[in-house]
Amino acid sequence: MTVSGTDTGTDSNTATSTGATTGDDAMAATPALDIDPLLDDPATRIIVCCGAGGVGKTTTAAALGVRAAERGRKVVVLTIDPARRLAQSMGIDELDNTPRRVKGIDETAGGELSAMMLDMKRTFDEIVEAHADAERARAILENPFYQSLSAGFAGTQEYMAMEKLGQLRARDEWDLIVVDTPPSRSALDFLDAPKRLGSFLDGKFIRVLMAPAKVGGRAGMKFLNVGMSMMTGTLSKLMGGQLLRDVQTFVAAMDTMFGGFRTRADATYRLLQAPGTAFLVVAAPERDALREAAYFVERLAAEEMPFAGLVLNRVHGSGAPQLSAERALAAAENLDEGGIVDQGAGNAGVRDSSAPSPTAEPTPDETSDSQGGSEGQSGTRTVEQLTAGLLRLHAERMHVLAREQRTRDRFTALHPEVAVTEVAALPGDVHDLAGLRAIADRLAAREAVEPVEYDRSDQPVG
Amino acid sequence: MSRLQVVSGKGGTGKTTVAAALALALATEGKRALLVEVEGRQGIAQLFETEALPYEERKIAVAPGGGEVYALAIDAERALLDYLQMFYKLGGAGRALKKLGAIDFATTIAPGLRDVLLTGKACEAVRRRDKQNRYAYDYVVMDAPPTGRITRFLNVNDEVAGLAKFGPIHNQAQAVMRVLKSPETAVHLVTLLEEMPVQETADGIAELRAAELPVGNVIVNMVRPHLLDEDALRTAAGERRTAVAKALSQAGLGGARRGGLAERLVDPLLEQAAEHAQRVELEREQRAVLARLDLATYELPLLGEGMDLAGLYRLAKELRTRLAPGGTS
Ligand SMILES: Nc1ncnc2c1ncn2[C@@H]1O[C@H](COP(=O)(O)OP(=O)(O)O)[C@@H](O)[C@H]1O
Ligand SMILES: Nc1ncnc2c1ncn2[C@@H]1O[C@H](COP(=O)(O)OP(=O)(O)O)[C@@H](O)[C@H]1O
Ligand SMILES: [Mg+2]
Ligand SMILES: [Mg+2]
């Protein structure tokens, strides 16, 4: 499956040639993702927000948590890497690895919200402490090899998120757990990483490191045993005797825990497949993010994970969709021509980002870089130039809209069955409860973002 | 200009893109640059629209003025076998290790070891000389791990030198650290003008500095043009509504009277302008944070039509104009 990617501002042959329907038909065919029924249903126990990095997973998870709590559910949100200000405003910027009650939530419907930020290292240590006796636990925690291992081998964060989810679920204090996922490059890492860890835990090499006690004990393993002593010799030459001993101590100490790791990873996996779980895939209306989303949707299906729908985040809209980019630009040019009788550039008010910004409140005279002309004329020019600027801004917005629409149409063509909800791009960051509520309102809104005052001939997308 | 250019940044900010553009920029005018990928994502191949890169240095692009860009996707497993071969002439035992899964273990599970191999290979390319004793590459550009991992990644050989107190591994680790901590290396961070990546950049720089790794530049990527200046916006919000409606009408967009087409455009257009102003203001705040880092900062434009080869050459050109040859980094 390919999602073709030339995003020019003109026509959309690419969308139609992949067998896609036109924008409108696709819109009509796309089922809406209804967030409130999902949040209100007591059978919904876990919601997992997945997606590529930076698309809004953490924001979505937190917003869902706020909304569910204010609609009466006892919710805990497990965030992985919240933006600092967001974490501060939720009171979870201290890493103690346990959920904290969030203040400022409207609890009149009987709900409440707790939130926590995952501390990966702490979670790993907790597992060790919980599953090994005190002495062994200390040996592991102090082992230099463990210290470098636990901080970041492939998939630790994903695995620890799962582990924490299992723990929260086992505490049974909340009736809804909303889970954010790690900021991996790819959404697929979330599904792949625990397995990778599993294959490490089951690996032959681990057994070998713990040999000869184990391997050598068995009959018929003599051959391997010879290989082994050659190996250990090689290894100690490679790593130095001390390092090898560290590794061996570590592995031996961890050995007792491996069974536990495996069992719990499998249990969490089954928990994710259970009907009480809902996966939401978050994506921005961009080529790469939606391609990721498409892969992820397919993988979820292959893994028999319950997929609820797609959150299309940071979608742009316009209050004046009836005015096309082309007409706006033509009108802007009109105004420029009218206004540059005795001026060279005629683009005051339209400037490069590198220009310094004046701080004083300017008079109309200063805003037009007038080299002459009466005050009356310069005033007129300013309005014209300002209006031209507004029109250019609008043209840019309409190009963005058209591009996003085409990207989305391609996704819909591939996955017409996927329920979608759209969240508008807010002009600023989301860093407090008010911002989260604004996101949540949009998540739960059932109508499309754009108002419907279309003049057909002016529509951005054919 | 440092010969090893390391490009890091928050995920998705454009590390791979910027690293590739930088390699092209540095290769301009007959130079030779090696672009190194360490994350095993084949992002470079995708970007240059070629098939997946093998574990082998191969030419992938010609830079303006006859320079050449080579690329290498470092495969940790192959690098480990090379490494064993280099130090121990391990042939058969190497294969045995592989059979047992030791190589898997070492490269995917013990990230430290993996990083040792990756940084080691990159430094080897930096130091390599040809028969005439000239450097094999004028520049090596690394598409490095993200900000959150970069310091640890580059510093891993310090840890190794501590763990293996003597012997060939110890010596190799120290040799790598000598390159990485010298002015021969510059670590650049790519960011966007948004709160999270800027914050991560500030944290990352503090970490790099604490570890005495040479910090290069901040590269602000995907910078959008400011179409309207703040003064214009301020006036717009005020008493100019009728005048704007008239101007719209004059430009052929319908009637300016109440309820007329042009008049109905005024509110949505001003609203978009207000959003734009808010964004400009946020970006200004983030620029101020970056300015406090006290580093040279380059800006690269957002390519509205998406990334392709032509776009990559455009970014390379932008970088080129900013990299004064022989200048500091
Ligand atoms: N709809 C939106 N409008 C504006 N900003 C948003 C929106 N969604 C997310 N953001 C911002 O984008 C940044 C990244 O969001 P985040 O939820 O942390 O992404 P992820 O967890 O997927 O990496 C944050 O600064 C957040 O405030
Ligand atoms: N200046 C730019 N203008 C437009 N798109 C860009 C720009 N820089 C990067 N991109 C796009 O952003 C996405 C992420 O870039 P990439 O280089 O893969 O980031 P990273 O390696 O940091 O994850 C890609 O789709 C890329 O094409
Ligand atoms: Mg996140
Ligand atoms: Mg990359």
Side-chain angles (χ1 to χ4, degrees):
Chain A
M1 44 148 288
T2 50
V3 180
S4 149
T6 35
D7 285 343
T8 53
T10 45
D11 71 17
S12 57
N13 285 334
T14 40
T16 36
S17 66
T18 55
T21 46
T22 66
D24 284 73
D25 294 342
M27 281 287 276
T30 305
L33 171 60
D34 239 343
I35 289 293
D36 284 338
L38 180 71
L39 295 181
D40 293 345
D41 185 353
T44 310
R45 302 298 305 276
I46 295 174
I47 297 177
V48 187
C49 300
C50 307
V55 292
K57 292 180 293 296
T58 305
T59 308
T60 303
L64 290 172
V66 170
R67 190 170 185 92
E70 297 194 333
R71 293 175 70 88
R73 300 201 65 183
K74 281 190 75 175
V75 192
V76 61
V77 181
L78 170 58
T79 65
I80 312 289
D81 63 330
R84 194 163 296 178
R85 275 204 288 170
L86 179 65
Q88 281 163 356
S89 72
M90 294 179 82
I92 53 168
D93 48 327
E94 284 203 22
L95 274 170
D96 59 0
N97 217 26
T98 54
R100 294 271 159 233
R101 188 77 165 261
V102 178
K103 299 198 189 72
I105 294 292
D106 176 0
E107 296 180 346
T108 48
E112 61 172 66
L113 178 65
S114 298
M116 67 167 285
M117 172 160 75
L118 181 78
D119 179 341
M120 189 175 73
K121 175 90 172 73
R122 263 312 304 145
T123 307
F124 209 139
D125 292 354
E126 282 166 15
I127 300 174
V128 172
E129 283 158 359
H131 293 272
D133 59 62
E135 194 186 333
R136 199 182 278 265
R138 196 169 42 78
I140 297 177
L141 296 180
E142 282 171 3
N143 186 299
F145 190 70
Y146 170 82
Q147 286 170 0
S148 80
L149 178 84
S150 59
F153 65 88
T156 317
Q157 222 179 8
E158 282 81 1
Y159 182 80
M160 291 307 139
M162 290 260 219
E163 178 70 33
K164 202 74 207 175
L165 168 62
Q167 288 177 15
L168 292 176
R169 184 59 205 262
R171 276 171 66 173
D172 210 24
E173 288 173 40
W174 298 278
D175 57 39
L176 175 64
I177 305 174
V178 184
V179 200
D180 177 22
T181 50
S184 358
R185 167 73 202 268
S186 158
L188 293 177
D189 286 351
F190 177 71
L191 291 174
D192 290 336
K195 288 201 171 147
R196 228 179 306 152
L197 181 58
S199 74
F200 156 63
L201 299 177
D202 290 341
K204 259 187 292 184
F205 186 58
I206 294 287
R207 309 290 129 199
V208 169
L209 277 175
M210 290 182 299
K214 279 196 154 176
V215 184
R218 283 190 232 151
M221 297 300 266
K222 193 137 194 226
F223 158 74
L224 192 58
N225 218 2
V226 173
M228 244 324 290
S229 49
M230 184 181 96
M231 275 263 322
T232 359
T234 308
L235 284 172
S236 75
K237 198 164 97 187
L238 268 178
M239 309 202 272
Q242 182 55 44
L243 182 56
L244 181 62
R245 270 193 300 282
D246 283 345
V247 173
Q248 279 175 325
T249 318
F250 166 70
V251 170
M254 292 282 275
D255 186 40
T256 40
M257 293 170 46
F258 287 162
F261 263 114
R262 254 335 246 187
T263 318
R264 282 196 318 291
D266 290 345
T268 312
Y269 198 79
R270 279 195 305 276
L271 196 60
L272 291 176
Q273 286 175 325
T277 300
F279 276 85
L280 290 178
V281 175
V282 185
E286 286 157 13
R287 188 184 16 152
D288 287 8
L290 275 173
R291 179 167 24 202
E292 265 303 316
Y295 288 141
F296 198 70
V297 168
E298 286 157 22
R299 263 299 291 282
L300 284 177
E303 309 264 342
E304 297 175 14
M305 298 276 180
F307 170 58
L310 176 74
V311 173
L312 205 52
N313 190 27
R314 302 186 103 164
V315 176
H316 290 85
S318 170
Q322 70 275 23
L323 177 61
S324 73
E326 291 71 26
R327 270 186 73 190
L329 283 178
E333 250 158 59
N334 250 336
L335 288 170
D336 286 344
E337 277 159 24
I340 52 169
V341 186
D342 54 358
Q343 268 186 31
N347 62 348
V350 180
R351 60 141 218 230
D352 189 65
S353 60
S354 55
S357 74
T359 43
E361 183 77 43
T363 67
D365 232 305
E366 282 165 347
T367 52
S368 67
D369 51 309
S370 150
Q371 293 134 7
S374 77
E375 236 178 288
Q377 273 174 324
S378 96
T380 316
R381 272 201 302 273
T382 309
V383 169
E384 282 164 347
Q385 285 154 2
L386 163 67
T387 308
L390 291 175
L391 287 165
R392 291 211 167 81
L393 203 56
H394 178 71
E396 190 208 44
R397 176 69 67 96
M398 292 308 283
H399 281 141
V400 171
L401 250 69
R403 200 160 58 232
E404 289 181 352
Q405 180 67 54
R406 275 196 307 279
T407 332
R408 193 169 46 184
D409 286 348
R410 279 184 221 119
F411 178 86
T412 312
L414 290 167
H415 290 285
E417 77 289 356
V418 170
V420 181
T421 184
E422 289 182 12
V423 177
L426 304 183
D429 288 328
V430 183
H431 53 253
D432 54 15
L433 289 181
L436 290 177
R437 285 192 192 101
I439 295 285
D441 285 345
R442 286 165 172 81
L443 273 166
R446 300 203 45 189
E447 71 285 357
V449 175
E450 292 107 312
V452 273
E453 197 191 319
Y454 277 109
D455 168 358
R456 299 279 324 172
S457 60
D458 278 337
Q459 241 185 286
V461 179
Chain B
M1 199 71 206
S2 307
R3 292 187 49 246
L4 175 59
Q5 305 267 327
V6 179
V7 180
S8 180
K10 183 170 158 56
T13 54
K15 286 183 296 301
T16 304
T17 309
V18 170
L22 185 59
L24 272 173
L26 291 169
T28 307
E29 268 143 43
K31 293 283 198 290
R32 189 189 273 208
L34 176 67
L35 180 56
V36 174
E37 174 161 55
V38 297
E39 295 268 78
R41 299 257 182 204
Q42 290 292 344
I44 293 176
Q46 262 179 38
L47 197 53
F48 284 92
E49 296 164 19
T50 62
E51 64 217 66
L53 296 169
Y55 180 48
E56 150 193 313
E57 290 155 39
R58 65 162 55 168
K59 189 158 117 186
I60 50 160
V62 176
E68 294 171 323
V69 176
Y70 283 71
L72 168 68
I74 303 184
D75 175 59
E77 183 179 316
R78 290 279 305 277
L80 179 55
L81 290 172
D82 280 3
Y83 185 86
L84 296 179
Q85 192 57 34
M86 180 162 73
F87 288 106
Y88 301 98
K89 315 270 176 285
L90 270 188
R95 274 196 299 279
L97 283 168
K98 187 170 171 156
K99 252 210 174 112
L100 277 166
I103 305 285
D104 248 13
F105 170 85
T107 53
T108 63
I109 305 307
L113 240 164
R114 198 168 168 275
D115 295 352
V116 169
L117 298 166
L118 299 172
T119 49
K121 183 74 197 168
C123 287
E124 182 271 319
V126 173
R127 285 177 299 173
R128 192 188 314 154
R129 291 176 186 268
D130 63 15
K131 291 192 192 74
Q132 286 80 45
N133 203 34
R134 284 177 317 217
Y135 282 123
Y137 294 103
D138 297 296
Y139 298 101
V140 175
V141 181
M142 183 195 279
D143 176 12
T147 326
R149 294 216 323 267
I150 187 66
T151 301
R152 218 193 144 102
F153 173 79
L154 294 174
N155 241 354
V156 68
N157 279 287
D158 252 3
E159 272 179 61
V160 169
L163 285 172
K165 299 239 162 29
F166 46 85
I169 292 193
H170 176 85
N171 298 341
Q172 155 79 1
Q174 289 217 308
V176 170
M177 277 329 289
R178 271 197 299 279
V179 173
L180 292 178
K181 291 202 164 166
S182 75
E184 268 205 289
T185 300
V187 185
H188 308 297
L189 293 180
V190 182
T191 185
L192 310 178
L193 285 176
E194 289 177 14
E195 186 184 338
M196 286 182 83
V198 166
Q199 183 65 56
E200 233 179 74
T201 303
D203 294 349
I205 286 169
E207 275 178 41
L208 287 166
R209 283 180 173 155
E212 294 174 357
L213 288 160
V215 182
N217 305 306
V218 172
I219 297 161
V220 182
N221 191 22
M222 306 197 213
V223 175
R224 287 175 288 190
H226 286 187
L227 292 173
L228 266 181
D229 74 19
E230 287 108 88
D231 309 325
L233 288 169
R234 262 196 295 273
T235 356
E239 67 290 353
R240 296 295 180 82
R241 294 193 71 256
T242 354
V244 169
K246 272 201 192 117
L248 286 171
S249 176
Q250 183 192 327
L253 294 175
R257 260 166 304 155
R258 249 189 107 67
L261 274 178
E263 197 268 346
R264 278 188 290 148
L265 284 174
V266 175
D267 277 339
L269 291 188
L270 288 181
E271 194 190 311
Q272 283 173 188
E275 286 177 10
H276 178 77
Q278 200 178 337
R279 201 193 77 206
V280 169
E281 174 59 19
L282 281 172
E283 292 186 352
R284 202 188 52 75
E285 283 169 20
Q286 298 310 322
R287 275 203 180 85
V289 176
L290 290 176
R292 284 200 290 277
L293 297 175
D294 228 4
L295 286 172
T297 301
Y298 302 150
E299 298 202 352
L300 291 176
L302 171 75
L303 303 180
E305 311 302 304
M307 230 22 227
D308 56 10
L309 262 183
L312 191 63
Y313 276 86
R314 216 189 112 193
L315 294 182
K317 200 170 154 210
E318 295 273 346
L319 279 172
R320 178 87 196 129
T321 60
R322 291 171 169 86
L323 302 170
T328 57
S329 50

